[in-house]
Amino acid sequence: GQNIDQPTEMTATEGAIVQINCTYQTSGFNGLFWYQQHAGEAPTFLSYNVLDGLEEKGRFSSFLSRSKGYSYLLLKELQMKDSASYLCAVSPYGNNRLAFGKGNQVVVIP
Amino acid sequence: DTGVSQDPRHKITKRGQNVTFRCDPISEHNRLYWYRQTLGQGPEFLTYFQNEAQLEKSRLLSDRFSAERPKGSFSTLEIQRTEQGDSAMYLCASSTVGQNTEAFFGQGTRLTVV
């Protein structure tokens, strides 16, 4: 089975940095994805990690430790539009069929 | 707009009725996935196709659910004899073949069974 665990909600101030953690236990591992989902909208791709280490993409960075079954998404210089749910998903089998966590709701306040 | 379109966006149906949803993936994408998402949860995998072949079905997919992708392009998901527990957002996604390719999601069909 697959178990993806994320905290459920956090509030942060505009301009701040927030870290969203994800731990996973899956029967296989072929990469970890982060998606952003605004209320009522489709999830949109943010990042992909398959090797240990940090991947940086503008204001967003994602880190992976395969030995610890752990990833985090770092959001810098928070903007109001970053208020959304952030979904961690693992691809256990290499066919991009994803096992998602529940998502972490980030609320950005002025 | 990700390029994956789903129809309808919303569907309200009475318990016991059949419903069918359609997904049009990005045209060059071989893989097509169906997920179900309820409030406060992440998407749960239902099934996926590579071209017209249905390669995997989740144990979540009861006998009342069937999906097709007859020509390897659009796909349909049918739910027969709907139950209140089927109320959810049904998301479709597509991707190219490859291990690290992202999946693009449609905006989903929100089903409410009354």
Side-chain angles (χ1 to χ4, degrees), chain A residues 10-55:
Chain A
M10 55 176 60
T11 302
T13 308
E14 205 173 3
I17 298 173
V18 68
Q19 178 173 316
I20 304 166
N21 298 319
C22 172
T23 57
Y24 64 89
Q25 287 180 296
T26 54
S27 50
F29 183 81
N30 283 275
L32 186 143
F33 294 78
W34 284 95
Y35 279 82
Q36 180 191 60
Q37 187 176 28
H38 288 100
E41 296 185 13
T44 54
F45 170 79
L46 290 177
S47 69
Y48 171 76
N49 295 69
V50 68
L51 299 176
D52 290 352
L54 190 68
E55 294 280 342

Side-chain angles (χ1 to χ4, degrees), chain A residues 1 29-31 33 35 37 40-45 48 50 57 87 91 93-103, chain B residues 2 9 31 33 35 37 40-45 48 56 89 91 95-96 98-107 110:
Chain A
F29 183 81
N30 283 275
F33 294 78
Y35 279 82
Q37 187 176 28
E41 296 185 13
T44 54
F45 170 79
Y48 171 76
V50 68
K57 258 189 175 185
L87 298 160
S91 174
Y93 307 118
N95 56 11
N96 287 348
R97 157 259 215 257
L98 299 173
F100 281 88
K102 290 184 179 181
Chain B
T2 63
R9 292 289 309 277
R31 288 188 176 153
Y33 312 81
Y35 290 84
Q37 187 175 25
Q41 303 293 317
E44 295 174 295
F45 170 77
Y48 98 96
E56 188 180 350
M89 176 75 83
L91 291 164
S95 76
T96 56
Q99 197 162 294
N100 61 347
T101 56
E102 67 190 87
F104 291 81
F105 282 82
Q107 292 199 295
R110 180 167 294 286

